[in-house]
Amino acid sequence: MATVDVDLPHVKDEDPHHHGPAKGLGRWLYTTNHKDIGSMYLIFSLTMFMIGGIMALIIRAELFQPGLQLVEPNFFNQMTTMHGLIMVFGAVMPAFVGLANWMIPMQIGAPDMALPRMNNWSFWILPFAFLILLSSLFMPGGAPNFGWTFYAPLSTTYAPESVTFFIFGVHIMGASSIMGAINIIATILNMRAPGMTLMKMPLFVWTWLITAFLLIAVMPVLAGVVTMMLMDIHFGTSFFNAAGGGDPVLFQHVFWFFGHPEVYIMILPAFGIISEIIPTFARKRLFGYSSMVYAVASIALLSFVVWAHHMFTVGMPLVGEVFFMFATMLIAVPTGVKVFNWVATMFRGSMTFETPMLFAIAFVVLFTIGGFSGLMLAIAPADFQYHDTYFVVAHFHYVLVPGAIFSIMAATYYWLPKWTGHQLNETMGKLHFWLSFVGVNVTFFPMHFVGLAGMPRRIPDYALQFADFNSMASVGAFIFGFSQLVFIYNVIQNVRAGEKATAQVWEGAQGLEWTIPSPAPYHTFSTPPKVD
Amino acid sequence: MSKAFTLALSLLSTPALADWQLNMNEGVTALSREIFDLHMLIFWICVVIGVAVFGVMFYSIFKFRKSKGAVAEHWHENTTVEVFWTVVPSIILIAMAVPATATLMDMYDTSEADVDIQITGYQWKWRYQYLDEDIDFFSNLSTPREEIVNESTKNPNYLLEVDNALVIPANKKVRFLVTANDVIHSWWVPHFAVKKDAIPGFINEAWVKVEEPGVYRGQCTELCGKDHGFMPVVVEVKSEADYEQWVADQKAMKLAMADEASKDLSMDELIAKGEGVYQAACSGCHQPNGQGIPGAFPAITGSAIATGAIDAHIDIIVNGKTGTAMQAFKEQLSAVDIAAVVTYQRNALGNTVGDMVQPSAIQK
């Protein structure tokens, strides 16, 4: 691996005014420091994860038994909608942006992000977007209740009035994501240390580079579709209104043209994280580095031509069904390559199983299970039976919870000692892992069964035959939900105190971030390191 | 004591009704079995790949541990292996897609149907129109409210039962023309492997040919608003002779209803009938007590329409209000029902207007 020359004494010689963080609230409001902004993104994401999680627990509590017990159907729909929106746009995406802010400059040997003021702005508009979205819960008529996919005309002609606030919120989130993506691309393409060629970049950087292009490509499409909704609602157009000559299916095409790349936006950085962690704890270089890069790029390109597999039952022409079925199945090939490469990295390595590695291994297994159900869903004729049932709910929660979320937790545990300067409490980390692992599977595995047996998604009450697995899933959800308190405890404890971490932190870790002290100084790589 | 007993009974009886069904229904048509076979084929392919991949992975996890003295090797590339595990999955997938495409072609072949039925999704009910016969009716959830709010024991068909089931003949190719009146719905019967989105402005096609008479149950599978979970699909498949008899009965019933619409009813009769109609057709939105849901559905109690001019009141029920969830009920309710419910809303639910309308005065 690269040998690195980091000249830290030189940093200390400079005027300390420019190098310590400012005092008080102003530090956080005005900061342009990638580490501060990264921390704010991560804290914001954790907050949203908790709020979205409470909504999930309300959903699972209602579904614990057949019959209506706790909430009315309309409020139930608000919960499913807000849970989805908050988890996708508030928890998973900002968490990855936070990790990118912290790690990309340190991994490529840059002093900061390329556009630090825009970085501040792209974070600080996010809390307002979500305040607007959450405030709709207290408006007359209630919050958006049309599902996170907000299909027209349920989300236009038949929507509660708060839909306008939802549209405004989505616009702000989109602007934040686009600015974040531009910043990441500018940083990676312009600020790499001398010698850090593209094909030497850590995979986390690579996956984020590709993800950022996806974001720039599709967030404007999302902005377009919500603007068309706004026009339909307030300005009398009929983009999606059949009575005015519009087309409700057009909404779905445009939405999923955004939506499918969006799901890869939520998983590609996870691939990068896992590709960092497995080699560290297997003490062996990542198998097939270049094929990993090409696989991620292929997945990203394919994500633009598979959107209508979300719409197999809308009555597409036969040839459309066949095209989208084939294209979707193709995605299994590069995804398979990634999984095979991770396993090959472990093979004949020298493995230890610290908390980040446990999350990474669970990611590989459970994400692959989600991939298998994805492959099943790709078979268009069979999809007529799976579509809009709990089988789909099981599928995307497997790729998003033990997929994206586990990778974020793995990344947090992996890099936390670098951020705080304190070694992890392994006992508490493992406790969190095992509780989460059991909770996730008890929650989501039974959903495959009720889905195949015929339970539609997004219903507040269900037929008696689905009762047993639903109560099981609810128990699992509460185990998973409350075990996240252990995670919060771990992070807070680690910030406050702990055994002093070395610069290396993990025995097998490779890369520039491990050459700087722990905790990472407020400014790093003011002088670029040399990478051979 | 008796409450504890009921609770214990309900706890005992629920597992007896529930089954731990793990897999997809094989269904009752040739096509549904074909789809089931595809499902199982891809499932077993996944199982085999999973066993191989996870096998190697867990072998590595147990064998190559640092604590067992494993020392990492240094190789990190092998083009042959990479090509192998790119090409082999591609071949498996193409092999899988071929039979899937053949099944799709069968599913899309709606030609030469014996019976054509138009299915229209409404918030939150289905309408069935037999295009060759003069038969047209709505199908509503019939599970009593008490069961939903846990005030009485749930029956085995809880949430999967309707007032008027769709009736089709066995051993005939039945074509469904699926559309919607308001938002998008999706009509699904798992045992037929028929799921088709009902989209306003579109007419989608699907078909089924069921061999054995029986009752088959499904649900709406596209989020369509508040009562999405409460619009089941029930299909009764009858033998050909029974089906013919049913068609004749429907026609006779229609004549009888037309006859009834010409009779006059007393205020008390109208109110008594109207209460039933209100609870079935109106209370989902306007609430059983007429208070509505602020911000979403207006109250009937004290409303300008229900206490204003009777013609405007009749008009909104007959023709609905465009751009809102208020549907046109002229197709859904008979003249008798509309007269009854108008009279009920004006003289009950806290309203005391005092007037009434007769079925013969309802202009549809």
Side-chain angles (χ1 to χ4, degrees):
Chain A
M1 196 65 198
T3 54
V4 177
D5 168 28
V6 192
D7 197 1
L8 285 164
H10 171 71
V11 172
K12 286 185 193 137
D13 289 343
E14 289 181 30
D15 180 0
H17 258 312
H18 287 104
H19 291 278
K23 296 278 173 257
L25 195 63
R27 165 180 178 181
W28 302 104
L29 280 175
Y30 305 127
T31 185
T32 55
N33 180 289
H34 73 103
K35 299 182 181 81
D36 282 351
I37 294 172
S39 301
M40 290 196 295
Y41 264 112
L42 290 170
I43 293 164
F44 176 79
S45 153
L46 186 60
T47 312
M48 285 296 135
F49 182 56
M50 288 295 137
I51 294 173
I54 289 167
M55 292 171 177
L57 293 187
I58 292 171
I59 294 168
R60 284 315 322 170
E62 175 57 51
L63 293 174
F64 180 62
Q65 282 193 316
L68 295 178
Q69 287 88 13
L70 300 171
V71 295
E72 284 301 308
N74 193 37
F75 187 72
F76 182 90
N77 289 345
Q78 295 175 33
M79 286 294 103
T80 54
T81 306
M82 297 291 274
H83 165 72
L85 291 168
I86 286 173
M87 288 305 198
V88 167
F89 295 104
V92 174
M93 291 171 67
F96 283 132
V97 180
L99 291 168
N101 259 290
W102 254 104
M103 300 319 300
I104 286 176
M106 278 159 58
Q107 288 193 317
I108 62 172
D112 204 309
M113 298 294 280
L115 307 162
R117 288 192 179 83
M118 190 167 82
N119 204 10
N120 172 294
W121 184 235
S122 53
F123 171 76
W124 272 114
I125 59 176
L126 262 192
F128 295 95
F130 282 89
L131 279 176
I132 289 168
L133 186 64
L134 285 168
S135 70
S136 65
L137 278 165
F138 306 100
M139 291 176 188
N145 56 6
F146 31 67
W148 88 273
T149 51
F150 51 99
Y151 279 11
L154 187 62
S155 62
T156 53
T157 319
Y158 295 84
E161 289 184 3
S162 60
V163 66
T164 309
F165 290 86
F166 154 82
I167 291 171
F168 189 33
V170 168
H171 271 305
I172 302 175
M173 290 167 212
S176 164
S177 290
I178 291 170
M179 287 193 284
I182 290 172
N183 211 347
I184 285 167
I185 292 173
T187 307
I188 296 172
L189 293 185
N190 296 307
M191 298 184 65
R192 297 191 313 279
M196 173 71 76
T197 57
L198 286 176
M199 290 310 274
K200 274 188 190 164
M201 294 195 307
L203 263 175
F204 180 65
V205 180
W206 251 120
T207 51
W208 241 119
L209 179 63
I210 292 166
T211 303
F213 277 104
L214 284 183
L215 277 168
I216 290 179
V218 301
M219 293 313 282
V221 179
L222 176 67
V225 79
V226 294
T227 306
M228 287 155 93
M229 283 169 61
L230 188 77
M231 302 295 278
D232 272 10
I233 294 166
H234 293 294
F235 302 104
T237 56
S238 294
F239 290 111
F240 308 131
N241 177 9
D247 180 350
V249 180
L250 173 69
F251 174 89
Q252 299 182 27
H253 281 293
V254 183
F255 177 82
W256 285 113
F257 190 86
F258 145 79
H260 201 78
E262 167 68 19
V263 307
Y264 292 127
I265 287 165
M266 292 190 284
I267 203 66
L268 296 186
F271 290 166
I273 290 164
I274 301 307
S275 304
E276 304 282 313
I277 291 174
I278 288 179
T280 296
F281 295 95
R283 292 169 182 73
K284 184 160 160 278
R285 270 181 72 180
L286 182 69
F287 184 84
Y289 171 92
S290 42
S291 72
M292 285 300 226
V293 173
Y294 300 138
V296 172
S298 323
I299 293 170
L301 286 177
L302 283 171
S303 75
F304 288 106
V305 293
V306 296
W307 75 90
H309 68 218
H310 298 270
M311 305 162 52
F312 279 144
T313 62
V314 299
M316 259 188 296
L318 179 61
V319 60
E321 300 263 327
V322 173
F323 170 79
F324 285 107
M325 173 169 73
F326 272 85
T328 304
M329 290 169 81
L330 273 184
I331 292 186
V333 175
T335 312
V337 166
K338 300 200 72 72
V339 174
F340 300 144
N341 283 352
W342 289 322
V343 173
T345 307
M346 292 186 223
F347 191 73
R348 298 204 178 280
S350 170
M351 273 190 272
T352 53
F353 302 93
E354 289 86 346
T355 308
M357 183 62 163
L358 291 176
F359 275 102
I361 290 174
F363 171 95
V364 175
V365 175
L366 301 179
F367 171 79
T368 304
I369 290 175
F372 286 144
S373 54
L375 192 53
M376 295 171 76
L377 286 158
I379 308 293
D383 183 73
F384 279 81
Q385 290 285 57
Y386 309 135
H387 179 76
D388 261 332
T389 69
Y390 260 81
F391 190 77
V392 176
V393 179
H395 160 71
F396 69 72
H397 280 95
Y398 258 84
V399 291
L400 282 174
V401 185
I405 304 261
F406 270 26
S407 82
I408 292 164
M409 285 165 178
T412 307
Y413 282 122
Y414 183 58
W415 283 311
L416 198 58
K418 179 58 64 187
W419 302 337
T420 65
H422 299 132
Q423 283 294 6
L424 276 184
N425 179 342
E426 277 294 329
T427 314
M428 291 305 285
K430 290 194 166 89
L431 177 71
H432 172 227
F433 169 75
W434 284 110
L435 285 172
S436 296
F437 181 81
V438 170
V440 137
N441 284 294
V442 174
T443 310
F444 297 117
F445 212 82
M447 291 184 185
H448 292 111
F449 302 137
V450 284
L452 290 175
M455 179 168 164
R457 63 190 283 207
R458 293 166 164 169
I459 56 175
D461 192 7
Y462 48 84
L464 301 180
Q465 55 176 318
F466 308 126
D468 296 330
F469 282 128
N470 267 292
S471 50
M472 189 194 276
S474 293
V475 171
F478 277 83
I479 296 173
F480 181 74
F482 281 92
S483 64
Q484 301 323 308
L485 298 177
V486 181
F487 177 63
I488 295 178
Y489 170 85
N490 283 352
V491 173
I492 292 175
Q493 274 304 102
N494 191 274
V495 172
R496 290 159 63 104
E499 198 187 318
K500 182 93 183 69
T502 61
Q504 179 64 25
V505 183
W506 311 105
E507 186 190 41
Q510 303 275 340
L512 288 177
E513 75 262 39
W514 309 108
T515 64
I516 49 184
S518 308
Y522 198 57
H523 292 285
T524 41
F525 297 125
S526 303
T527 311
K530 291 184 191 71
V531 181
D532 293 333
Chain B
M1 184 60 207
S2 71
K3 201 168 182 181
F5 180 73
T6 320
L7 185 71
L9 198 72
S10 72
L11 285 175
L12 282 175
S13 64
T14 308
L17 290 166
D19 48 1
W20 296 85
Q21 183 181 345
L22 299 177
N23 203 356
M24 185 188 281
N25 297 300
E26 209 175 330
V28 292
T29 68
L31 199 55
S32 76
R33 282 187 286 268
E34 215 177 292
I35 289 172
F36 179 80
D37 291 343
L38 273 177
H39 157 71
M40 290 315 289
L41 175 63
I42 186 75
F43 171 73
W44 285 115
I45 290 175
C46 290
V47 168
V48 170
I49 298 173
V51 167
V53 173
F54 297 150
V56 176
M57 185 171 149
F58 284 104
Y59 172 79
S60 306
I61 287 174
F62 288 108
K63 178 91 179 172
F64 307 116
R65 291 174 171 245
K66 197 187 174 205
S67 58
K68 287 187 176 172
V71 178
E73 297 188 358
H74 292 289
W75 46 266
H76 55 84
E77 260 170 345
N78 185 325
T79 311
T80 319
V81 173
E82 302 260 356
V83 170
F84 171 79
W85 64 42
T86 308
V87 172
V88 171
S90 308
I91 294 170
I92 295 173
L93 291 176
I94 291 167
M96 183 65 224
V98 171
T101 304
T103 304
L104 263 182
M105 291 167 79
D106 283 349
M107 294 171 82
Y108 269 71
D109 178 17
T110 51
S111 61
E112 291 169 36
D114 302 307
V115 180
D116 291 322
I117 299 171
Q118 183 179 324
I119 300 174
T120 311
Y122 285 68
Q123 282 182 324
W124 293 281
K125 64 203 92 180
W126 295 101
R127 179 186 191 181
Y128 300 115
Q129 289 162 284
Y130 292 63
L131 299 185
D132 309 318
E133 318 283 348
D134 188 18
I135 299 178
D136 176 358
F137 60 88
F138 282 79
S139 179
N140 296 281
L141 175 76
S142 64
T143 299
R145 182 80 195 158
E146 296 76 47
E147 291 188 19
I148 296 172
V149 297
N150 310 303
E151 283 165 6
S152 65
T153 315
K154 296 174 174 40
N155 79 80
N157 290 325
Y158 177 69
L159 296 188
L160 298 176
E161 49 190 344
V162 294
D163 51 1
N164 302 307
L166 172 67
V167 177
I168 60 170
N171 286 312
K172 294 268 189 189
K173 185 166 181 176
V174 180
R175 182 171 68 137
F176 301 123
L177 301 155
V178 187
T179 184
N181 180 61
D182 35 47
V183 299
I184 302 176
H185 305 266
S186 190
W187 194 85
W188 184 32
V189 179
H191 282 89
F192 299 168
V194 170
K195 181 185 285 153
K196 210 72 181 178
D197 289 359
I199 304 171
F202 282 76
I203 294 183
N204 281 328
E205 288 180 288
W207 66 275
V208 70
K209 188 171 182 179
V210 188
E211 291 133 26
E212 291 296 320
V215 178
Y216 303 99
R217 297 169 198 276
Q219 283 176 268
C220 175
T221 48
E222 181 63 61
L223 178 63
C224 56
K226 182 171 76 69
D227 284 345
H228 163 56
F230 304 92
M231 54 181 291
V233 172
V234 179
V235 182
E236 210 179 325
V237 181
K238 288 183 186 287
S239 70
E240 211 175 325
D242 288 353
Y243 176 74
E244 294 303 335
Q245 181 59 47
W246 177 83
V247 169
D249 290 349
Q250 291 296 305
K251 288 180 174 168
M253 219 166 74
K254 188 161 183 170
L255 288 175
M257 264 170 63
D259 193 37
E260 204 171 313
S262 61
K263 289 181 190 150
D264 278 359
L265 296 167
S266 75
M267 179 95 142
D268 287 346
E269 283 172 320
L270 283 168
I271 290 177
K273 189 165 178 54
E275 184 174 5
V277 177
Y278 180 83
Q279 295 304 338
C282 318
S283 66
C285 298
H286 297 293
Q287 301 303 297
N289 57 9
Q291 298 301 313
I293 297 176
F297 304 113
I300 299 295
T301 308
S303 90
I305 288 167
T307 59
I310 197 163
D311 287 341
H313 188 183
I314 296 168
D315 178 68
I316 200 166
I317 291 175
V318 170
N319 297 313
K321 187 173 173 190
T322 315
T324 70
M326 182 64 197
Q327 303 166 358
F329 281 89
K330 61 185 166 196
E331 310 287 357
Q332 304 186 40
L333 300 175
S334 68
V336 179
D337 287 344
I338 291 176
V341 82
V342 167
T343 309
Y344 173 75
Q345 290 183 354
R346 301 177 77 79
N347 298 295
L349 303 167
N351 294 335
T352 50
V353 184
D355 56 0
M356 59 192 264
V357 61
Q358 289 298 339
S360 50
I362 303 295
Q363 300 294 324
K364 286 220 227 178

